[in-house]
């Protein structure tokens, strides 16, 4: 089992269970500190390869994942792995798609779906979850 992110690491969301998940924008440089052991990349195109295990979800900017069943499976995997691994969720900017995914992971961690967007905006970034359909996706996520 791998040590999780440090509590002061930039962009790290602490879930109610204590699990830590780092969100970030891929347009920005890789943050200093430990590397992820698993990452979930939310992009409209396949991301470049990385030195850690990664999974790609086709998810166009400002929209929703192309395959919602695959997305739900990937988000469950990220949540499960965050119990003992350094998990990173990232899209190009780190706000809309990443915030939506983090809110869904918060639902998996026990945050009520109608409160998950506010939770991520308070504990990750205030601009998380950018569109009405992303908010609706979170509110319906199980």
């Amino acid at each position: 089992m791998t040590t999780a992110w440090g509590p002061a690491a930039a962009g790290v969301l602490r879930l109610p269970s204590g699990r830590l998940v780092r969100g970030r924008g891929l347009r920005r440089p890789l943050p200093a500190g430990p590397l992820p052991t698993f990452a979930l990349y939310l992009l409209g195109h396949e991301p470049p390869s990385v030195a850690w295990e990664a999974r790609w979800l086709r998810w166009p900017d400002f929209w929703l994942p192309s395959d919602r069943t695959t997305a739900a499976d990937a988000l469950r995997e990220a949540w499960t792995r965050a119990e003992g691994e350094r998990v990173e969720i990232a899209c190009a900017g780190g706000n809309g798609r990443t915030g939506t995914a983090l809110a869904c992971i918060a639902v998996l961690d026990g945050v009520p779906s109608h409160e998950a967007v506010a939770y991520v905006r308070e504990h990750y970034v205030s601009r998380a979850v950018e569109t009405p359909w992303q908010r609706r996706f979170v509110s319906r996520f199980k």
Side-chain angles (χ1 to χ4, degrees), residues 11 23-31 91-95 98 124-125 127:
R24 79 175 177 104
L26 295 171
R27 286 190 292 238
R28 292 188 285 279
L30 187 65
C91 64
N95 296 318
T98 296
Y124 169 63
V125 66
R127 297 178 319 276

Side-chain angles (χ1 to χ4, degrees), residues 39-52:
L40 184 56
Y41 295 126
L42 318 170
L43 299 166
H45 56 83
E46 192 167 357
S49 63
V50 290
W52 47 88

Side-chain angles (χ1 to χ4, degrees), residues 11-15 19-23 102-103 106 119-120 123-124:
V12 174
L13 172 68
R14 178 178 293 278
L15 296 164
R19 291 176 179 162
L20 302 172
V21 180
R22 180 171 78 185
L102 290 172
Y119 182 88
V120 171
H123 298 284
Y124 169 63

Side-chain angles (χ1 to χ4, degrees), residues 49-122:
S49 63
V50 290
W52 47 88
E53 186 179 353
R55 187 168 175 183
W56 167 52
L57 285 179
R58 184 179 302 277
W59 191 328
D61 200 9
F62 296 104
W63 292 98
L64 298 174
S66 298
D67 182 332
R68 293 178 190 175
T69 301
T70 300
D73 291 344
L75 293 168
R76 282 185 187 85
E77 178 182 3
W79 175 76
T80 299
R81 293 179 76 150
E83 187 171 18
E85 297 180 52
R86 289 185 304 271
V87 173
E88 171 176 89
I89 308 292
C91 64
N95 296 318
R97 293 169 285 182
T98 296
T100 301
L102 290 172
C104 290
I105 290 171
V107 170
L108 293 172
D109 204 65
V111 176
S113 59
H114 67 278
E115 296 175 14
V117 171
Y119 182 88
V120 171
R121 286 178 175 171
E122 180 180 346

